[in-house]
Amino acid sequence: MKKTEKYTQFALCREMMETPGIIRNFKLKDTPKTVAAIKSAGKLFLTGEGSSRIFPAKNVIYTARKAGMDLNMATDGGRQAAEYNLSDFVVFGASNSGSTKEVIALLDHLRKAGHKNCFGLTAREGTKLSTLAHQTFVLNCGWETAVAATKSVAEQALVYQELLAQLQGTSLAGKLGQLADAVEQALTMDIDPAMIKAIANAGTIYFAGRNDGVAEELTLKTNEITRKKSDFLEGTYAVHGIEEVMNSNDVVILINPFKAELEKIKETLVDGVGLKVFSVCDEDTMFGTLKVKDAGTLRNYVYLAAGWNILVEVGVALGINLDKAERARKVGNEFVN
């Protein structure tokens, strides 16, 4: 994806290209109350719908568990979360519009039950969400025009990671410049035309990877950007039965794949099914690889940006209006007074 009219005619691409700047200039204010609440509770529940939950919540949970943080963290959508006992959790509800029905219903339910630690994350001032949360953080990225959320997803994730960094007495500040550079490179790097052609011609596009939000979020973005069918194959699911219904014109995109599984993937999917496999990674693999910079503990943002780049190229190759979905709405299920 380049900074040319071919791409910048779309708000989606312009918003994606704003992401490096948002990362570089990211600051999170008024956090002491929130950090103290999380520290006291030792339990954090992150909810939202679609892109407001998948990457922001799962990325920070993965990062915290990998770092060995002593913090009970979980995530689910609002309707399922309403069935849980969250009385001793700090609860974060993320909704860019501030009016997502499932999030509003959950926080309303918790407030009526006397919950004292409900927090909101939104892209707008003066929302319904802010009337239910004890404190609301408003993103600096602004409202997005394209149906597919992009820059807001990255900033939401940074909010959660910065809160956990502060909980540990540190900050992301010293890492943001390097991360912004890596994300910009991932967004603008050239992609092998053969990879784009194969993905554009695929019947189903599968994303395989860790349960850290990246592959799953790209699966959703595939529907919104390319209008193609997609599926998320968590962990090693790609070699545990799904091959029975795959076809040779399908494509699998591995996100930061497990090295120990590469030979098995080749045997099962390439040799067995005859489909094409690609990878997004910070090192070369045996498959066609979109190689990105290693950003350490923040590498997932780079993988996400590289995935956006792929999907934009596919969408453009297919002649799709990247900003206007036929059925999907900007606010999927909106609360109305």
Side-chain angles (χ1 to χ4, degrees):
M1 179 169 57
K2 302 299 182 185
K3 299 177 184 178
T4 62
E5 175 62 21
K6 179 179 179 181
Y7 303 99
T8 59
Q9 64 177 306
F10 299 111
L12 177 74
C13 298
R14 297 195 298 272
E15 289 162 0
M16 286 177 174
M17 290 306 301
E18 290 174 24
T19 304
I22 290 165
I23 293 172
R24 197 180 307 278
N25 298 315
F26 176 79
K27 291 182 178 65
L28 188 62
K29 301 177 181 179
D30 302 322
T31 59
K33 175 183 175 181
T34 312
V35 172
I38 297 171
K39 185 174 183 179
S40 176
K43 297 180 178 182
L44 179 61
F45 190 88
L46 306 168
T47 192
E49 304 303 318
S51 294
S52 286
R53 183 180 74 88
I54 295 170
F55 178 70
K58 292 194 173 187
N59 170 67
V60 77
I61 290 172
Y62 172 83
T63 302
R65 287 177 177 165
K66 190 173 181 181
M69 288 187 67
D70 185 19
L71 182 63
N72 183 351
M73 301 177 69
T75 183
D76 266 313
R79 296 300 187 195
Q80 185 163 327
E83 298 178 349
Y84 299 160
N85 180 355
L86 298 173
S87 59
D88 54 354
F89 278 79
V90 169
V91 177
F92 250 94
S95 164
N96 280 341
S97 67
S99 61
T100 304
K101 184 178 288 187
E102 297 88 346
V103 177
I104 298 302
L106 175 63
L107 264 64
D108 183 59
H109 164 73
L110 293 174
R111 286 297 299 263
K112 287 177 179 176
H115 202 292
K116 302 299 183 184
N117 283 313
C118 293
F119 294 85
L121 183 56
T122 181
R124 288 173 163 174
E125 299 279 358
T127 64
K128 177 64 177 178
L129 177 62
S130 66
T131 69
L132 296 171
H134 294 95
Q135 182 179 359
T136 303
F137 293 90
V138 180
L139 301 176
N140 292 314
C141 66
W143 184 249
E144 292 160 316
T145 301
V147 168
T150 52
K151 61 180 182 177
S152 64
V153 173
E155 190 174 0
Q156 286 173 333
L158 286 174
V159 169
Y160 289 156
Q161 280 200 261
E162 176 63 17
L163 286 172
L164 262 63
Q166 291 186 20
L167 187 65
Q168 297 174 295
T170 62
S171 173
L172 300 179
K175 302 177 181 179
L176 295 178
Q178 182 180 359
L179 175 62
D181 290 343
V183 166
E184 183 164 17
Q185 183 187 60
L187 283 170
T188 57
M189 66 193 306
D190 293 328
I191 302 175
D192 183 353
M195 179 189 295
I196 299 305
K197 182 178 180 180
I199 297 171
N201 291 334
T204 301
I205 302 169
Y206 294 92
F207 285 88
R210 293 162 173 80
N211 187 21
D212 57 12
V214 183
E216 187 174 357
E217 170 63 12
L218 291 173
T219 300
L220 170 57
K221 286 294 171 286
T222 298
N223 303 145
E224 295 175 330
I225 297 173
T226 74
R227 319 292 154 78
K228 281 185 168 288
K229 294 179 180 179
S230 60
D231 196 7
F232 166 49
L233 308 178
E234 180 187 338
T236 61
Y237 184 7
V239 293
H240 284 278
I242 189 69
E243 65 270 23
E244 189 66 22
V245 296
M246 288 176 160
N247 297 309
S248 59
N249 69 328
D250 293 333
V251 164
V252 175
I253 303 173
L254 309 174
I255 306 296
N256 186 24
F258 298 105
K259 293 181 183 178
E261 298 297 323
L262 295 179
E263 286 287 353
K264 184 64 174 179
I265 289 171
K266 179 180 181 300
E267 175 189 335
T268 305
L269 303 184
V270 179
D271 300 337
V273 179
L275 53 70
K276 290 183 172 62
V277 175
F278 302 101
S279 70
V280 177
C281 194
D282 56 24
E283 59 184 4
D284 290 321
T285 71
M286 66 173 63
F287 305 111
T289 304
L290 186 60
K291 188 177 178 180
V292 300
K293 285 186 176 180
D294 181 0
T297 58
L298 298 175
R299 60 172 56 91
N300 283 348
Y301 295 86
V302 186
Y303 295 140
L304 184 64
W308 291 348
N309 191 352
I310 291 170
L311 294 177
V312 164
E313 292 290 357
V314 171
V316 169
L318 292 171
I320 290 170
N321 182 340
L322 304 182
D323 293 335
K324 188 178 184 302
E326 294 299 322
R327 303 187 184 109
R329 295 161 292 167
K330 185 63 184 169
V331 183
N333 190 13
E334 189 169 12
F335 171 83
V336 180
N337 286 314

mmCIF file of all heavy atoms in Angstrom, residues 166-207:
data_model
loop_
_atom_site.group_PDB
_atom_site.id
_atom_site.type_symbol
_atom_site.label_atom_id
_atom_site.label_comp_id
_atom_site.label_asym_id
_atom_site.label_seq_id
_atom_site.Cartn_x
_atom_site.Cartn_y
_atom_site.Cartn_z
ATOM 1 N N GLN A 166 1.906 0.699 33.363
ATOM 2 C CA GLN A 166 1.909 1.556 34.540
ATOM 3 C C GLN A 166 1.664 0.756 35.815
ATOM 4 O O GLN A 166 2.193 1.097 36.879
ATOM 5 C CB GLN A 166 0.868 2.666 34.388
ATOM 6 C CG GLN A 166 1.223 3.680 33.315
ATOM 7 C CD GLN A 166 0.265 4.850 33.257
ATOM 8 O OE1 GLN A 166 -0.460 5.136 34.205
ATOM 9 N NE2 GLN A 166 0.248 5.543 32.121
ATOM 10 N N LEU A 167 0.891 -0.292 35.700
ATOM 11 C CA LEU A 167 0.664 -1.172 36.849
ATOM 12 C C LEU A 167 1.980 -1.787 37.322
ATOM 13 O O LEU A 167 2.163 -2.056 38.514
ATOM 14 C CB LEU A 167 -0.320 -2.272 36.452
ATOM 15 C CG LEU A 167 -0.840 -3.212 37.547
ATOM 16 C CD1 LEU A 167 -1.681 -2.443 38.562
ATOM 17 C CD2 LEU A 167 -1.658 -4.335 36.930
ATOM 18 N N GLN A 168 2.901 -1.980 36.381
ATOM 19 C CA GLN A 168 4.218 -2.540 36.686
ATOM 20 C C GLN A 168 5.259 -1.455 36.970
ATOM 21 O O GLN A 168 6.435 -1.753 37.144
ATOM 22 C CB GLN A 168 4.696 -3.411 35.525
ATOM 23 C CG GLN A 168 3.820 -4.632 35.263
ATOM 24 C CD GLN A 168 4.238 -5.376 34.016
ATOM 25 O OE1 GLN A 168 4.153 -4.865 32.899
ATOM 26 N NE2 GLN A 168 4.725 -6.595 34.186
ATOM 27 N N GLY A 169 4.804 -0.204 36.974
ATOM 28 C CA GLY A 169 5.713 0.897 37.257
ATOM 29 C C GLY A 169 6.538 1.346 36.073
ATOM 30 O O GLY A 169 7.564 2.015 36.234
ATOM 31 N N THR A 170 6.112 1.009 34.856
ATOM 32 C CA THR A 170 6.842 1.397 33.655
ATOM 33 C C THR A 170 5.908 2.121 32.689
ATOM 34 O O THR A 170 4.823 2.545 33.060
ATOM 35 C CB THR A 170 7.458 0.170 32.962
ATOM 36 O OG1 THR A 170 6.398 -0.720 32.553
ATOM 37 C CG2 THR A 170 8.396 -0.580 33.899
ATOM 38 N N SER A 171 6.333 2.269 31.451
ATOM 39 C CA SER A 171 5.529 2.919 30.424
ATOM 40 C C SER A 171 5.972 2.429 29.054
ATOM 41 O O SER A 171 7.108 1.979 28.878
ATOM 42 C CB SER A 171 5.676 4.439 30.508
ATOM 43 O OG SER A 171 5.034 5.074 29.421
ATOM 44 N N LEU A 172 5.087 2.562 28.071
ATOM 45 C CA LEU A 172 5.422 2.207 26.696
ATOM 46 C C LEU A 172 6.191 3.319 25.990
ATOM 47 O O LEU A 172 6.705 3.111 24.886
ATOM 48 C CB LEU A 172 4.147 1.927 25.890
ATOM 49 C CG LEU A 172 3.228 0.792 26.348
ATOM 50 C CD1 LEU A 172 2.014 0.725 25.420
ATOM 51 C CD2 LEU A 172 3.963 -0.533 26.366
ATOM 52 N N ALA A 173 6.275 4.487 26.598
ATOM 53 C CA ALA A 173 6.766 5.689 25.924
ATOM 54 C C ALA A 173 8.071 5.482 25.171
ATOM 55 O O ALA A 173 8.214 5.915 24.028
ATOM 56 C CB ALA A 173 6.916 6.822 26.940
ATOM 57 N N GLY A 174 9.027 4.822 25.753
ATOM 58 C CA GLY A 174 10.329 4.668 25.123
ATOM 59 C C GLY A 174 10.350 3.731 23.936
ATOM 60 O O GLY A 174 11.344 3.681 23.193
ATOM 61 N N LYS A 175 9.265 2.992 23.733
ATOM 62 C CA LYS A 175 9.214 2.009 22.655
ATOM 63 C C LYS A 175 8.377 2.465 21.457
ATOM 64 O O LYS A 175 8.366 1.806 20.418
ATOM 65 C CB LYS A 175 8.627 0.691 23.177
ATOM 66 C CG LYS A 175 9.383 0.072 24.343
ATOM 67 C CD LYS A 175 8.684 -1.176 24.833
ATOM 68 C CE LYS A 175 9.411 -1.809 26.011
ATOM 69 N NZ LYS A 175 8.703 -3.020 26.516
ATOM 70 N N LEU A 176 7.660 3.575 21.613
ATOM 71 C CA LEU A 176 6.654 3.943 20.621
ATOM 72 C C LEU A 176 7.239 4.435 19.303
ATOM 73 O O LEU A 176 6.665 4.196 18.242
ATOM 74 C CB LEU A 176 5.704 4.991 21.207
ATOM 75 C CG LEU A 176 4.861 4.495 22.389
ATOM 76 C CD1 LEU A 176 3.988 5.628 22.924
ATOM 77 C CD2 LEU A 176 3.987 3.308 21.971
ATOM 78 N N GLY A 177 8.371 5.128 19.346
ATOM 79 C CA GLY A 177 8.985 5.603 18.108
ATOM 80 C C GLY A 177 9.410 4.465 17.211
ATOM 81 O O GLY A 177 9.122 4.455 16.006
ATOM 82 N N GLN A 178 10.069 3.482 17.794
ATOM 83 C CA GLN A 178 10.517 2.317 17.033
ATOM 84 C C GLN A 178 9.328 1.526 16.503
ATOM 85 O O GLN A 178 9.338 1.055 15.357
ATOM 86 C CB GLN A 178 11.389 1.428 17.914
ATOM 87 C CG GLN A 178 11.952 0.202 17.201
ATOM 88 C CD GLN A 178 12.815 -0.659 18.120
ATOM 89 O OE1 GLN A 178 13.020 -0.338 19.286
ATOM 90 N NE2 GLN A 178 13.320 -1.760 17.572
ATOM 91 N N LEU A 179 8.291 1.406 17.321
ATOM 92 C CA LEU A 179 7.093 0.689 16.890
ATOM 93 C C LEU A 179 6.423 1.418 15.730
ATOM 94 O O LEU A 179 6.009 0.788 14.750
ATOM 95 C CB LEU A 179 6.112 0.538 18.053
ATOM 96 C CG LEU A 179 4.760 -0.088 17.696
ATOM 97 C CD1 LEU A 179 4.941 -1.509 17.169
ATOM 98 C CD2 LEU A 179 3.820 -0.081 18.906
ATOM 99 N N ALA A 180 6.318 2.737 15.818
ATOM 100 C CA ALA A 180 5.694 3.516 14.740
ATOM 101 C C ALA A 180 6.428 3.316 13.422
ATOM 102 O O ALA A 180 5.805 3.157 12.367
ATOM 103 C CB ALA A 180 5.659 4.993 15.120
ATOM 104 N N ASP A 181 7.759 3.307 13.479
ATOM 105 C CA ASP A 181 8.552 3.081 12.257
ATOM 106 C C ASP A 181 8.281 1.699 11.672
ATOM 107 O O ASP A 181 8.136 1.549 10.448
ATOM 108 C CB ASP A 181 10.047 3.208 12.578
ATOM 109 C CG ASP A 181 10.468 4.638 12.891
ATOM 110 O OD1 ASP A 181 9.709 5.568 12.560
ATOM 111 O OD2 ASP A 181 11.550 4.812 13.491
ATOM 112 N N ALA A 182 8.226 0.691 12.534
ATOM 113 C CA ALA A 182 7.996 -0.679 12.067
ATOM 114 C C ALA A 182 6.600 -0.836 11.476
ATOM 115 O O ALA A 182 6.418 -1.533 10.475
ATOM 116 C CB ALA A 182 8.195 -1.660 13.227
ATOM 117 N N VAL A 183 5.607 -0.193 12.088
ATOM 118 C CA VAL A 183 4.232 -0.256 11.580
ATOM 119 C C VAL A 183 4.137 0.442 10.223
ATOM 120 O O VAL A 183 3.491 -0.062 9.293
ATOM 121 C CB VAL A 183 3.251 0.370 12.591
ATOM 122 C CG1 VAL A 183 1.882 0.624 11.956
ATOM 123 C CG2 VAL A 183 3.101 -0.546 13.808
ATOM 124 N N GLU A 184 4.793 1.601 10.095
ATOM 125 C CA GLU A 184 4.751 2.307 8.814
ATOM 126 C C GLU A 184 5.396 1.476 7.710
ATOM 127 O O GLU A 184 4.888 1.412 6.583
ATOM 128 C CB GLU A 184 5.459 3.654 8.925
ATOM 129 C CG GLU A 184 5.387 4.456 7.638
ATOM 130 C CD GLU A 184 5.730 5.913 7.826
ATOM 131 O OE1 GLU A 184 6.316 6.265 8.854
ATOM 132 O OE2 GLU A 184 5.406 6.707 6.919
ATOM 133 N N GLN A 185 6.513 0.831 8.027
ATOM 134 C CA GLN A 185 7.152 -0.021 7.025
ATOM 135 C C GLN A 185 6.235 -1.174 6.636
ATOM 136 O O GLN A 185 6.122 -1.518 5.445
ATOM 137 C CB GLN A 185 8.476 -0.567 7.554
ATOM 138 C CG GLN A 185 9.217 -1.405 6.510
ATOM 139 C CD GLN A 185 10.438 -2.096 7.061
ATOM 140 O OE1 GLN A 185 10.343 -2.893 7.981
ATOM 141 N NE2 GLN A 185 11.591 -1.801 6.484
ATOM 142 N N ALA A 186 5.563 -1.775 7.611
ATOM 143 C CA ALA A 186 4.664 -2.893 7.329
ATOM 144 C C ALA A 186 3.488 -2.462 6.456
ATOM 145 O O ALA A 186 3.012 -3.224 5.619
ATOM 146 C CB ALA A 186 4.161 -3.495 8.635
ATOM 147 N N LEU A 187 3.031 -1.232 6.652
ATOM 148 C CA LEU A 187 1.900 -0.719 5.874
ATOM 149 C C LEU A 187 2.270 -0.397 4.430
ATOM 150 O O LEU A 187 1.420 -0.454 3.539
ATOM 151 C CB LEU A 187 1.350 0.553 6.533
ATOM 152 C CG LEU A 187 0.477 0.376 7.770
ATOM 153 C CD1 LEU A 187 0.227 1.732 8.420
ATOM 154 C CD2 LEU A 187 -0.841 -0.294 7.423
ATOM 155 N N THR A 188 3.537 -0.042 4.195
ATOM 156 C CA THR A 188 3.922 0.468 2.876
ATOM 157 C C THR A 188 4.842 -0.458 2.098
ATOM 158 O O THR A 188 5.176 -0.165 0.941
ATOM 159 C CB THR A 188 4.629 1.831 3.026
ATOM 160 O OG1 THR A 188 5.776 1.686 3.887
ATOM 161 C CG2 THR A 188 3.686 2.863 3.640
ATOM 162 N N MET A 189 5.258 -1.563 2.682
ATOM 163 C CA MET A 189 6.199 -2.444 1.996
ATOM 164 C C MET A 189 5.555 -3.125 0.794
ATOM 165 O O MET A 189 4.336 -3.340 0.749
ATOM 166 C CB MET A 189 6.758 -3.492 2.964
ATOM 167 C CG MET A 189 5.738 -4.472 3.487
ATOM 168 S SD MET A 189 6.353 -5.435 4.906
ATOM 169 C CE MET A 189 7.867 -6.127 4.262
ATOM 170 N N ASP A 190 6.372 -3.424 -0.206
ATOM 171 C CA ASP A 190 5.888 -4.115 -1.397
ATOM 172 C C ASP A 190 5.546 -5.564 -1.060
ATOM 173 O O ASP A 190 6.218 -6.204 -0.241
ATOM 174 C CB ASP A 190 6.951 -4.085 -2.489
ATOM 175 C CG ASP A 190 7.200 -2.684 -3.018
ATOM 176 O OD1 ASP A 190 6.241 -1.889 -3.036
ATOM 177 O OD2 ASP A 190 8.342 -2.387 -3.403
ATOM 178 N N ILE A 191 4.512 -6.056 -1.697
ATOM 179 C CA ILE A 191 4.081 -7.436 -1.494
ATOM 180 C C ILE A 191 4.163 -8.170 -2.829
ATOM 181 O O ILE A 191 3.777 -7.623 -3.873
ATOM 182 C CB ILE A 191 2.643 -7.492 -0.945
ATOM 183 C CG1 ILE A 191 2.543 -6.712 0.370
ATOM 184 C CG2 ILE A 191 2.203 -8.943 -0.732
ATOM 185 C CD1 ILE A 191 1.133 -6.617 0.922
ATOM 186 N N ASP A 192 4.646 -9.383 -2.787
ATOM 187 C CA ASP A 192 4.776 -10.201 -3.991
ATOM 188 C C ASP A 192 3.425 -10.275 -4.720
ATOM 189 O O ASP A 192 2.427 -10.715 -4.128
ATOM 190 C CB ASP A 192 5.234 -11.605 -3.586
ATOM 191 C CG ASP A 192 5.477 -12.519 -4.784
ATOM 192 O OD1 ASP A 192 5.161 -12.117 -5.921
ATOM 193 O OD2 ASP A 192 5.981 -13.643 -4.562
ATOM 194 N N PRO A 193 3.352 -9.829 -5.978
ATOM 195 C CA PRO A 193 2.092 -9.884 -6.729
ATOM 196 C C PRO A 193 1.485 -11.280 -6.783
ATOM 197 O O PRO A 193 0.255 -11.425 -6.835
ATOM 198 C CB PRO A 193 2.491 -9.401 -8.120
ATOM 199 C CG PRO A 193 3.702 -8.556 -7.888
ATOM 200 C CD PRO A 193 4.431 -9.214 -6.761
ATOM 201 N N ALA A 194 2.341 -12.318 -6.762
ATOM 202 C CA ALA A 194 1.823 -13.687 -6.796
ATOM 203 C C ALA A 194 1.033 -14.001 -5.531
ATOM 204 O O ALA A 194 0.037 -14.740 -5.577
ATOM 205 C CB ALA A 194 2.978 -14.679 -6.960
ATOM 206 N N MET A 195 1.465 -13.447 -4.388
ATOM 207 C CA MET A 195 0.730 -13.639 -3.141
ATOM 208 C C MET A 195 -0.641 -12.961 -3.221
ATOM 209 O O MET A 195 -1.668 -13.564 -2.889
ATOM 210 C CB MET A 195 1.517 -13.065 -1.953
ATOM 211 C CG MET A 195 0.788 -13.207 -0.613
ATOM 212 S SD MET A 195 1.564 -12.314 0.779
ATOM 213 C CE MET A 195 3.115 -13.180 0.937
ATOM 214 N N ILE A 196 -0.659 -11.727 -3.703
ATOM 215 C CA ILE A 196 -1.918 -10.992 -3.812
ATOM 216 C C ILE A 196 -2.871 -11.682 -4.784
ATOM 217 O O ILE A 196 -4.075 -11.822 -4.507
ATOM 218 C CB ILE A 196 -1.658 -9.538 -4.263
ATOM 219 C CG1 ILE A 196 -0.780 -8.814 -3.238
ATOM 220 C CG2 ILE A 196 -2.977 -8.790 -4.460
ATOM 221 C CD1 ILE A 196 -1.308 -8.828 -1.822
ATOM 222 N N LYS A 197 -2.358 -12.168 -5.906
ATOM 223 C CA LYS A 197 -3.195 -12.848 -6.896
ATOM 224 C C LYS A 197 -3.807 -14.114 -6.307
ATOM 225 O O LYS A 197 -5.007 -14.390 -6.495
ATOM 226 C CB LYS A 197 -2.376 -13.190 -8.133
ATOM 227 C CG LYS A 197 -3.185 -13.855 -9.241
ATOM 228 C CD LYS A 197 -2.328 -14.123 -10.476
ATOM 229 C CE LYS A 197 -3.155 -14.795 -11.575
ATOM 230 N NZ LYS A 197 -2.327 -15.071 -12.784
ATOM 231 N N ALA A 198 -3.009 -14.888 -5.588
ATOM 232 C CA ALA A 198 -3.501 -16.136 -4.997
ATOM 233 C C ALA A 198 -4.589 -15.855 -3.966
ATOM 234 O O ALA A 198 -5.613 -16.550 -3.912
ATOM 235 C CB ALA A 198 -2.348 -16.896 -4.365
ATOM 236 N N ILE A 199 -4.385 -14.833 -3.157
ATOM 237 C CA ILE A 199 -5.374 -14.498 -2.120
ATOM 238 C C ILE A 199 -6.642 -13.947 -2.762
ATOM 239 O O ILE A 199 -7.758 -14.291 -2.361
ATOM 240 C CB ILE A 199 -4.771 -13.502 -1.113
ATOM 241 C CG1 ILE A 199 -3.575 -14.137 -0.377
ATOM 242 C CG2 ILE A 199 -5.828 -13.062 -0.095
ATOM 243 C CD1 ILE A 199 -2.783 -13.170 0.467
ATOM 244 N N ALA A 200 -6.480 -13.102 -3.761
ATOM 245 C CA ALA A 200 -7.643 -12.526 -4.451
ATOM 246 C C ALA A 200 -8.485 -13.593 -5.134
ATOM 247 O O ALA A 200 -9.714 -13.465 -5.244
ATOM 248 C CB ALA A 200 -7.176 -11.488 -5.472
ATOM 249 N N ASN A 201 -7.845 -14.664 -5.596
ATOM 250 C CA ASN A 201 -8.556 -15.735 -6.297
ATOM 251 C C ASN A 201 -9.048 -16.839 -5.364
ATOM 252 O O ASN A 201 -9.704 -17.787 -5.809
ATOM 253 C CB ASN A 201 -7.651 -16.356 -7.358
ATOM 254 C CG ASN A 201 -7.372 -15.410 -8.508
ATOM 255 O OD1 ASN A 201 -8.176 -14.513 -8.786
ATOM 256 N ND2 ASN A 201 -6.235 -15.571 -9.175
ATOM 257 N N ALA A 202 -8.735 -16.737 -4.081
ATOM 258 C CA ALA A 202 -9.071 -17.808 -3.134
ATOM 259 C C ALA A 202 -10.571 -17.912 -2.893
ATOM 260 O O ALA A 202 -11.290 -16.906 -2.911
ATOM 261 C CB ALA A 202 -8.351 -17.570 -1.809
ATOM 262 N N GLY A 203 -11.013 -19.141 -2.639
ATOM 263 C CA GLY A 203 -12.401 -19.341 -2.251
ATOM 264 C C GLY A 203 -12.620 -18.905 -0.817
ATOM 265 O O GLY A 203 -13.543 -18.150 -0.502
ATOM 266 N N THR A 204 -11.765 -19.379 0.063
ATOM 267 C CA THR A 204 -11.787 -18.987 1.469
ATOM 268 C C THR A 204 -10.376 -18.610 1.897
ATOM 269 O O THR A 204 -9.405 -19.277 1.543
ATOM 270 C CB THR A 204 -12.298 -20.133 2.369
ATOM 271 O OG1 THR A 204 -13.622 -20.502 1.959
ATOM 272 C CG2 THR A 204 -12.322 -19.714 3.834
ATOM 273 N N ILE A 205 -10.264 -17.540 2.655
ATOM 274 C CA ILE A 205 -8.977 -17.093 3.182
ATOM 275 C C ILE A 205 -8.926 -17.453 4.666
ATOM 276 O O ILE A 205 -9.735 -16.965 5.457
ATOM 277 C CB ILE A 205 -8.789 -15.577 2.991
ATOM 278 C CG1 ILE A 205 -8.900 -15.216 1.508
ATOM 279 C CG2 ILE A 205 -7.448 -15.126 3.571
ATOM 280 C CD1 ILE A 205 -8.991 -13.716 1.251
ATOM 281 N N TYR A 206 -7.999 -18.314 5.012
ATOM 282 C CA TYR A 206 -7.835 -18.724 6.405
ATOM 283 C C TYR A 206 -6.660 -17.989 7.032
ATOM 284 O O TYR A 206 -5.608 -17.841 6.405
ATOM 285 C CB TYR A 206 -7.568 -20.228 6.499
ATOM 286 C CG TYR A 206 -8.714 -21.110 6.066
ATOM 287 C CD1 TYR A 206 -8.800 -21.561 4.740
ATOM 288 C CD2 TYR A 206 -9.685 -21.515 6.967
ATOM 289 C CE1 TYR A 206 -9.844 -22.384 4.338
ATOM 290 C CE2 TYR A 206 -10.737 -22.345 6.569
ATOM 291 C CZ TYR A 206 -10.802 -22.766 5.262
ATOM 292 O OH TYR A 206 -11.835 -23.593 4.866
ATOM 293 N N PHE A 207 -6.831 -17.540 8.268
ATOM 294 C CA PHE A 207 -5.726 -16.985 9.045
ATOM 295 C C PHE A 207 -5.459 -17.920 10.214
ATOM 296 O O PHE A 207 -6.388 -18.322 10.928
ATOM 297 C CB PHE A 207 -6.059 -15.590 9.567
ATOM 298 C CG PHE A 207 -6.010 -14.524 8.519
ATOM 299 C CD1 PHE A 207 -7.132 -14.244 7.755
ATOM 300 C CD2 PHE A 207 -4.838 -13.810 8.280
ATOM 301 C CE1 PHE A 207 -7.094 -13.262 6.773
ATOM 302 C CE2 PHE A 207 -4.791 -12.839 7.296
ATOM 303 C CZ PHE A 207 -5.921 -12.560 6.539
#
